Amino acid sequence: MFSRKGDEKAAAPAATSRDSNDAKYSGQFDADNSDGLQRRLNNRQIQLIAIGGTIGTGLFISIGAGLAKGGPGSLLVCYILYASVVALVNNSIAEMTTYMPVSGGFIRLAGNWVDDALGFMVGWNFFLYEALLIPFEVVALNLVLSFWNEKVTEPGPTAGICAAIIISYGLLNVVAVGVFGEAEFWLSGGKVILIFMLFGFTFVTMVGGNPSGHAYGFSHWNSPAAFLEYHTSGDQGRFEGFMGALATAAFVIVGPDYISMVAAEAKHPSIYIKTAFKTVYVRFGLFFIGGALATGIVLPSNDRALVDIHINGGGGQTAGASPYVMAMENMGIDVLPHVVNALLFTTIYSAGNTYTYCATRSLYSLALEGRAPAFFRKCTAQGVPIYCFAFTMLFPLLSFLQVNSGSAEALSILLSLITGGGVVDYIVMSITFLFYYRACKLQGVDRKTRPYYGYLQPYGAWVALVLQVIVLYTYGYTAFTPWSTKNFFANYTMQLLAPLMFIGWKLIKKTKFVKPEECDLVWDRPIIDAYEAKAMDLDPPTGFWQEMGQMVGLGRKKKVIKEEEL
């Protein structure tokens, strides 16, 4: 059942991907990839997915936990520090993915360039991470809807809402990837509008543009305090508050992994995916760090509704799930909370849609390399891994747990389980780059000839690796003070599961670490080169704004543009 790609018939023709002789790829030149996926995502879709595809519950709701535990000062510092660490990870994965945009992204890179056991571990880790994020977003959508009617948190309406959302995710993901990309383009555009609207709300109200006319400025940094005590008092308490804020940062600040996953279905990947990775740095600085600053400005960290949801675990104040909505209600603003909540619904819905896509593709990549049952390789004529999709859609059913436990408690449990999995993915990306860097150096490969060249390497990868390991095993410290078996497994399940999967697969399959001289740096590149050469003639690359203009009838005639113009 678990067999290597090529051992039996797959959904698409298998490529002889470990031969650098272009002639052997001649039968593949008409294919987009060496498997069943198709390159249908255009530039504007990819850029909006990169900008907004991963902005959801975390930035608009879960960020409140960091404010309640650590205060505005700890929240801002943690987001700056963790965003810098993930930026280093982005620098590593961008170079590898733009050169080798294969199905499964960083999952298959780890398995082919480091160790098959590492690919098995990170593949299943990422699948579980993404699959568990889907019910997390469904639960969050129920929280947002309760703003208009608290009765939706009752068992009957909750079950109905969950079913409707799950069905809609299924419909959007079972069709061609182009439909998914178009849906995400518009949904992600709404996220960008929402976040700039909230930034504008923050600035206007802090300088006095609110019903009371009070220019509150940074007063919430002084009352109660910029750096809060959490659990204990004194410096130790403030440090624990800092760690609480850091845990939310590790969940909220994401991005490079999702771009890596869409690379195999992107048109002109060496150009479009490179641009997408570059936008990550801007998004970190503007959206995540800016969001942390704005949240700490508009709402005091001791707000009753905020503390009840994120500290006390109460479900009675679910209507005020977003710190921004809480702030608007506190100021007596009537209409704007409804507008923000509506956009918040589409924002969170979009995130769940993205997670459904990524979970499906990660499972597909596992099947391609024999790390999952072979029947998962089956793709539809539109390039959708149909059995992977069907299996993934079982996980959103976990959202029905909130029927009994309450939205806030279900949200908290899922958040704890998910955070560790995300950090594991970034650790693997850094490890993979170090092996890739070593192979390039030994084989005499000039990395500057790659579509994307990562600077400050390999030092950046080492710094990111060390810091991510520290975060991985410390963010759940609250399980030890005092000891709580429930909290321990909620915070450390993924950390325990990951090494067990690695060791287990390594022992069963007797895998070995890839030697630098044996690392295949050619792999699928001949197929990618052939596809891009053909696409350059048939469907030349276009800039983001050019495609936006084409949507309204401007500049219909395409022209070939240089990479630096994108």
Side-chain angles (χ1 to χ4, degrees):
M1 182 176 289
F2 289 78
S3 57
R4 291 289 294 177
K5 178 183 173 183
D7 291 346
E8 55 184 85
K9 291 182 180 180
T16 312
S17 61
R18 296 194 177 279
D19 196 311
S20 60
N21 187 351
D22 289 3
K24 293 188 178 183
Y25 291 90
S26 58
Q28 296 290 335
F29 283 176
D30 292 332
D32 295 351
N33 290 289
S34 61
D35 49 67
L37 300 188
Q38 301 172 8
R39 297 188 180 276
R40 296 187 177 184
L41 296 177
N42 59 35
N43 197 12
R44 63 178 174 84
Q45 291 171 341
I46 292 170
Q47 303 317 318
L48 262 295
I49 290 174
I51 292 173
T54 55
I55 296 176
T57 309
L59 188 59
F60 299 112
I61 294 181
S62 301
I63 195 172
L67 178 63
K69 294 175 182 178
S74 291
L75 183 69
L76 180 60
V77 172
C78 286
Y79 274 61
I80 292 174
L81 291 177
Y82 196 75
S84 300
V85 173
V86 181
L88 292 176
V89 176
N90 183 77
N91 191 42
S92 296
I93 194 62
E95 180 175 331
M96 295 186 291
T97 300
T98 51
Y99 172 65
M100 199 66 69
V102 295
S103 305
F106 69 95
I107 295 172
R108 293 180 70 200
L109 295 179
N112 284 271
W113 287 348
V114 182
D115 190 317
D116 187 64
L118 190 67
F120 173 84
M121 181 273 283
V122 74
W124 281 105
N125 176 81
F126 186 70
F127 170 75
L128 292 172
Y129 173 69
E130 293 298 297
L132 287 173
L133 274 169
I134 306 171
F136 176 84
E137 299 298 337
V138 175
V139 171
L141 285 170
N142 189 264
L143 276 173
V144 173
L145 286 175
S146 68
F147 176 78
W148 290 294
N149 189 342
E150 289 191 2
K151 289 186 177 180
V152 302
T153 59
E154 296 177 358
T158 293
I161 291 170
C162 289
I165 295 169
I166 292 169
I167 291 172
S168 65
Y169 282 162
L171 293 175
L172 283 175
N173 281 270
V174 78
V175 292
V177 69
V179 176
F180 162 81
E182 195 63 22
E184 277 306 294
F185 170 78
W186 292 105
L187 290 170
S188 295
K191 295 181 185 184
V192 176
I193 293 173
L194 174 59
I195 197 164
F196 279 112
M197 180 188 298
L198 294 176
F199 285 167
F201 162 77
T202 301
F203 177 75
V204 171
T205 58
M206 72 183 293
V207 297
N210 55 72
S212 67
H214 172 53
Y216 60 87
F218 286 86
S219 61
H220 296 148
W221 281 59
N222 298 320
S223 178
F227 298 89
L228 290 186
E229 299 173 349
Y230 182 58
H231 274 314
T232 57
S233 60
D235 291 339
Q236 181 179 338
R238 282 184 284 273
F239 178 73
E240 292 189 64
F242 176 88
M243 293 300 297
L246 183 62
T248 66
F251 170 72
V252 172
I253 301 175
V254 294
D257 37 354
Y258 299 100
I259 301 175
S260 179
M261 292 303 295
V262 303
E265 293 175 270
K267 298 179 179 179
H268 307 286
S270 297
I271 298 175
Y272 292 170
I273 294 299
K274 174 183 177 179
T275 307
F277 274 115
K278 285 186 175 181
T279 66
V280 168
Y281 304 109
V282 177
R283 177 157 57 90
F284 282 179
L286 184 61
F287 294 161
F288 293 128
I289 298 176
L293 177 61
T295 302
I297 290 175
V298 299
L299 191 70
S301 54
N302 62 350
D303 180 86
R304 180 177 296 179
L306 182 75
V307 173
D308 186 58
I309 290 178
H310 297 293
I311 303 297
N312 300 331
Q317 299 291 334
T318 55
S322 170
Y324 296 102
V325 174
M326 294 178 193
M328 293 171 189
E329 291 186 320
N330 291 346
M331 295 177 193
I333 299 175
D334 296 326
V335 178
L336 192 56
H338 295 275
V339 176
V340 170
N341 218 59
L343 286 172
L344 200 58
F345 182 88
T346 61
T347 293
I348 297 171
Y349 179 87
S350 169
N353 191 40
T354 299
Y355 302 143
T356 304
Y357 168 88
C358 288
T360 301
R361 268 49 179 189
S362 61
L363 183 58
Y364 178 66
S365 72
L366 286 165
L368 287 177
E369 298 290 350
R371 301 167 191 141
F375 69 85
F376 281 128
R377 301 175 193 167
K378 173 67 176 178
C379 287
T380 65
Q382 290 73 37
V384 177
I386 189 64
Y387 294 138
C388 294
F389 161 77
F391 184 70
T392 298
M393 292 309 295
L394 297 176
F395 284 81
L397 300 179
L398 291 173
S399 61
F400 287 100
L401 291 173
Q402 67 176 315
V403 172
N404 291 324
S405 63
S407 294
E409 184 179 351
L411 203 65
S412 176
I413 294 172
L414 286 172
L415 174 60
S416 298
L417 284 172
I418 289 164
T419 302
V423 181
V424 168
D425 295 330
Y426 293 142
I427 290 173
V428 170
M429 290 181 197
S430 296
I431 293 173
T432 303
F433 183 85
L434 293 172
F435 274 73
Y436 160 82
Y437 178 89
R438 184 184 64 166
C440 287
K441 190 172 182 179
L442 189 141
Q443 296 183 26
V445 174
D446 184 2
R447 292 173 40 247
K448 291 185 178 180
T449 62
R450 302 303 196 213
Y452 182 106
Y453 174 73
Y455 292 95
L456 304 176
Q457 297 291 15
Y459 311 106
W462 275 113
V463 170
L465 176 60
V466 172
L467 293 180
Q468 291 279 11
V469 170
I470 293 173
V471 170
L472 181 66
Y473 287 100
T474 58
Y475 79 84
Y477 75 96
T478 52
F480 302 96
T481 57
W483 170 257
S484 170
T485 303
K486 175 184 175 181
N487 289 339
F488 175 80
F489 283 103
N491 286 288
Y492 288 99
T493 295
M494 303 303 285
Q495 290 91 319
L496 295 171
L497 190 60
L500 288 176
M501 288 192 294
F502 175 79
I503 295 171
W505 191 256
K506 195 167 186 63
L507 292 176
I508 293 171
K509 295 293 183 177
K510 296 181 173 57
T511 65
K512 296 181 180 179
F513 286 102
V514 177
K515 297 179 181 179
E517 63 272 15
E518 296 176 357
C519 183
D520 183 8
L521 298 176
V522 176
W523 194 359
D524 271 8
R525 192 63 209 185
I527 296 175
I528 297 165
D529 287 337
Y531 158 77
E532 292 191 319
K534 178 185 68 175
M536 188 66 71
D537 295 328
L538 300 178
D539 186 17
T542 53
F544 175 80
W545 292 111
Q546 184 180 352
E547 287 191 9
M548 293 292 287
Q550 290 170 3
M551 290 181 61
V552 294
L554 300 176
R556 289 290 184 182
K557 185 178 180 180
K558 293 184 178 181
K559 64 176 183 177
V560 179
I561 59 176
K562 297 180 180 179
E563 182 177 329
E564 56 268 19
E565 295 177 347
L566 292 178

